[in-house]
Amino acid sequence: MPSPQTKMRKGSTPEASQQHSVRRNMARNPKTTQPPAVNALAKDLEKALELLKAKDDTSRFVGLALLKPVLEEELSKQDGAEQEGTLALTERCWRAIPVKFLDRLLKAKPQGKKTEEEAGSMVGLAVAVIHAFMTILEAPEKDDRFVGRVPLLMSALRSTPPETTTQIMQILATLATTLQGSHAVFSANDEDGKPDQKPRSYLFVTVLLIDIRSSIPSLQEKLHSTEYPDLSERIARAYDIISAFIGFLVQSLETMDSDDEDGGSGPAFSSPLPIDLLSKLRASISEVMSLTIEHLRDRYDSSTAGAAGLHPSARTPNEASSNPLPIAWDTSSGIAKDPLTLCQLRALSLWLRDEENDALRREAAGIMDVLLALYRDTSDQDFRYPVLLALEGTMETPDGVEAFFREEGWAIFAADLQEILPTPSEHARGIEIVRVLLEVVEADVTGPAKEDWMHIVDLARQSLIHAPDTTNLELGVAICQLAVELMVRAPRGIRNRRRDAVVELRRHAAFLLTDEDGVSGGVRDGLEEVVQGLDSLSF
């Protein structure tokens, strides 16, 4: 599942920096009762801590049972924010729980005098406590005490009631946001260490895909129902886990390829799934992403009261405004405020980029207006990185490039690039924009460069002239590479009109290359390419 090749080296995926945190939704809703004073809370935690340190399981169980309501009370304050002064004590409680004791609770099954209800209560208690600690503590996804519970949590999914299942899904979704956690979630084996005929990771992801596939067709009609918030949150969580699985899969396959090239000196990774199961999952994920595209299309049309495929100039003032009126069957919040939309788009964008599926990419071209509208709407959620990632794959098809031009994508991104340049904190997004625009320029269907694109040459010149220092030149060099590509593909008349700008651009690029305290590494390589490209131009 190789990623599309571009002129610039890809770094870590930018969407990781703005990854939606499932932990935000794990806290319980605030209660109406008055919370206890901090000293009373600390007293309860101290009592639970004492019991958890005991050597017998009975005391530990009592301590855990006492701890559960205390943690839930803590989560109810300020939407999950812990009381000042209790975090360290809470951390001590978590460290005091023997992991073997937690594992015994998670393994509980009806046998002997233990009834099915008692076994379920033991599993539920362990899950609830893990869930609460994960919400309160910092960086739980990096804690081996959480990650090590993954196999038993996966096993518990088979026979737990809905509330416990939801908590397990939230735990797994949070853990799957890191490489270590995702490897634990998606490579889970049986307790004896031997892989299943069908690994639990395969079954887990398959169940999530079935859940999404069966739920999406009815989401529109339930927008105004009381069950929609819970339903959309569950589906959003499933999309988050699918996103993590895609990231894990791609990273694992890339690591395996790297190991093959360097003789196995990198981290050891076995094949994440047997080839036959991997092929089935790829087909299932593509089917779900196709349904996702349909849902985004329908949801956008209902949210904006417009028809599919309308050019921006043909939309009514309401539709062009930042707060379009929804039609009767949409919610008052609309598509851009629904957390499900961001989760859907993140998973879809990863799959469009990393899975070379031209049919799906052509389908995505059909929602180009939706993608660009979401890119421009930053009032509630930031869709910009997922949209750029989605376009990176969609631009691989002629349909995608044509839709991009039809929806005035060039004008939108070029204007954004102009605004980003003076702001170093936004340069990573600017580089992603340049990557998309390069794909557009290099596409066969694009043809010669147009006159109204040539302001990119002036922008490239400005990026070198006004750069505050040589440590923030990556975006400038990327824009210069785009400018060179435009000039190479421009008709002679357009090229001649930019001759002075090209000469000045080359002079500044050459100066940076000769400066003893100047650029190095990838920036230097990029500037050398720019100079060589400009030297090859004929006027």
Side-chain angles (χ1 to χ4, degrees):
M1 197 184 306
S3 302
Q5 297 297 312
T6 63
K7 295 193 82 156
M8 292 174 291
R9 180 183 63 83
K10 293 181 183 177
S12 59
T13 54
E15 70 275 7
S17 64
Q18 49 95 49
Q19 176 82 6
H20 170 68
S21 174
V22 178
R23 291 176 65 206
R24 243 178 277 158
N25 296 323
M26 286 171 65
R28 298 180 181 272
N29 293 329
K31 297 180 180 178
T32 57
T33 56
Q34 186 70 20
V38 176
N39 59 347
L41 178 64
K43 183 177 179 181
D44 288 340
L45 286 172
E46 290 282 7
K47 186 174 181 181
L49 181 60
E50 183 180 349
L51 289 165
L52 291 170
K53 289 180 176 179
K55 300 298 183 182
D56 61 292
D57 281 355
T58 301
S59 298
R60 291 167 178 167
F61 188 85
V62 173
L64 214 58
L66 175 62
L67 189 60
K68 180 176 177 286
V70 176
L71 294 174
E72 290 176 350
E73 184 69 29
E74 183 77 346
L75 289 175
S76 73
K77 301 181 185 68
Q78 301 174 9
D79 196 21
E82 65 279 348
Q83 286 280 359
E84 185 179 356
T86 63
L87 183 58
L89 188 54
T90 304
E91 173 85 22
R92 287 174 59 199
C93 287
W94 169 241
R95 297 295 166 192
I97 304 174
V99 291
K100 290 183 178 179
F101 174 63
L102 274 180
D103 289 349
R104 285 198 291 274
L105 293 179
L106 290 171
K107 292 177 184 177
K109 289 180 173 54
Q111 56 183 4
K113 295 183 178 180
K114 189 187 303 175
T115 66
E116 185 172 346
E117 183 179 357
E118 289 172 336
S121 296
M122 294 170 72
V123 174
L125 175 61
V127 170
V129 169
I130 294 172
H131 176 273
F133 275 118
M134 175 161 282
T135 309
I136 293 173
L137 300 180
E138 295 294 326
E141 62 275 11
K142 299 178 181 178
D143 188 337
D144 288 341
R145 290 170 63 86
F146 287 111
V147 176
R149 312 285 70 73
V150 165
L152 292 175
L153 289 168
M154 294 278 279
S155 294
L157 276 173
R158 300 173 182 173
S159 57
T160 53
E163 181 182 358
T164 302
T165 298
T166 298
Q167 291 181 332
I168 293 176
M169 294 280 280
Q170 290 173 333
I171 294 168
L172 296 176
T174 300
L175 292 177
T177 60
T178 65
L179 180 59
Q180 180 186 4
S182 62
H183 193 263
V185 171
F186 301 121
S187 302
N189 291 332
D190 277 341
E191 292 162 29
D192 61 1
K194 298 178 181 178
D196 264 330
Q197 269 190 329
K198 289 186 177 179
R200 277 201 293 271
S201 57
Y202 170 82
L203 298 174
F204 179 44
V205 173
T206 298
V207 168
L208 293 176
L209 292 171
I210 292 172
D211 189 21
I212 295 173
R213 193 163 58 237
S214 61
S215 300
I216 281 185
S218 63
L219 282 177
Q220 280 290 94
E221 64 191 53
K222 294 180 179 178
L223 281 173
H224 274 295
S225 70
T226 56
E227 64 180 301
Y228 181 76
D230 289 339
L231 174 61
S232 63
E233 183 182 346
R234 189 188 81 227
I235 300 304
R237 194 175 304 121
Y239 272 109
D240 275 346
I241 298 177
I242 297 302
S243 296
F245 175 72
I246 294 170
F248 160 76
L249 195 59
V250 172
Q251 214 162 4
S252 297
L253 293 174
E254 287 178 351
T255 303
M256 290 170 60
D257 290 342
S258 176
D259 285 348
D260 290 340
E261 292 174 4
D262 61 19
S265 60
F269 272 97
S270 58
S271 178
L273 283 174
I275 296 300
D276 58 330
L277 297 184
L278 182 58
S279 297
K280 290 179 180 179
L281 270 187
R282 289 172 76 165
S284 296
I285 293 175
S286 291
E287 181 183 351
V288 164
M289 294 309 161
S290 179
L291 288 172
T292 302
I293 291 171
E294 291 181 21
H295 179 256
L296 288 171
R297 169 84 273 163
D298 293 341
R299 183 72 201 277
Y300 178 75
D301 292 342
S302 66
S303 181
T304 59
L310 275 183
H311 188 274
S313 62
R315 295 172 188 154
T316 66
N318 256 344
E319 290 171 296
S321 71
S322 60
N323 295 302
L325 291 175
I327 53 181
W329 64 78
D330 198 2
T331 61
S332 59
S333 60
I335 183 174
K337 295 183 180 180
D338 192 336
L340 174 60
T341 305
L342 184 57
C343 297
Q344 287 180 311
L345 188 55
R346 185 181 299 112
L348 175 62
S349 65
L350 285 169
W351 197 244
L352 286 172
R353 186 195 67 177
D354 293 318
E355 174 70 357
E356 295 180 353
N357 186 328
D358 284 346
L360 191 67
R361 288 171 174 173
R362 287 194 295 271
E363 287 184 48
I367 61 166
M368 184 64 65
D369 58 326
V370 181
L371 295 175
L372 293 178
L374 290 174
Y375 181 89
R376 300 174 77 178
D377 188 339
T378 57
S379 56
D380 291 280
Q381 302 185 95
D382 192 346
F383 297 97
R384 291 175 297 184
Y385 274 118
V387 168
L388 287 167
L389 206 61
L391 292 181
E392 195 175 321
T394 309
M395 292 304 106
E396 293 284 325
T397 65
D399 300 59
V401 175
E402 291 170 355
F404 183 77
F405 285 128
R406 186 170 60 250
E407 297 296 332
E408 301 182 353
W410 186 281
I412 293 170
F413 284 171
D416 204 15
L417 205 54
Q418 180 90 42
E419 291 184 10
I420 286 172
L421 189 57
T423 312
S425 62
E426 295 283 350
H427 281 191
R429 179 161 58 86
I431 291 173
E432 296 302 312
I433 291 175
V434 173
R435 182 173 288 127
V436 171
L437 294 181
L438 270 172
E439 286 197 60
V440 172
V441 171
E442 294 172 347
D444 292 337
V445 71
T446 298
K450 310 297 189 294
E451 178 70 50
D452 57 0
W453 301 351
M454 289 300 118
H455 66 284
I456 293 293
V457 178
D458 296 321
L459 187 62
R461 181 170 53 87
Q462 294 171 23
S463 71
L464 297 189
I465 295 174
H466 301 298
D469 53 61
T470 57
T471 60
N472 288 310
L473 278 178
E474 288 188 6
L475 176 57
V477 171
I479 296 173
C480 289
Q481 289 178 314
L482 176 59
V484 170
E485 199 64 39
L486 286 172
M487 291 299 293
V488 167
R489 295 168 183 270
R492 183 176 294 273
I494 293 177
R495 190 184 301 166
N496 287 339
R497 286 192 287 276
R498 295 294 184 285
R499 180 170 184 169
D500 291 344
V502 168
V503 170
E504 189 175 4
L505 176 60
R506 190 206 178 281
R507 184 170 68 250
H508 283 287
F511 171 76
L512 288 171
L513 287 172
T514 57
D515 185 0
E516 291 183 0
D517 299 322
V519 295
S520 60
V523 171
R524 171 171 287 277
D525 294 341
L527 280 174
E528 289 175 348
E529 288 181 15
V530 168
V531 171
Q532 292 169 7
L534 294 175
D535 286 343
S536 70
L537 295 176
S538 58
F539 292 94

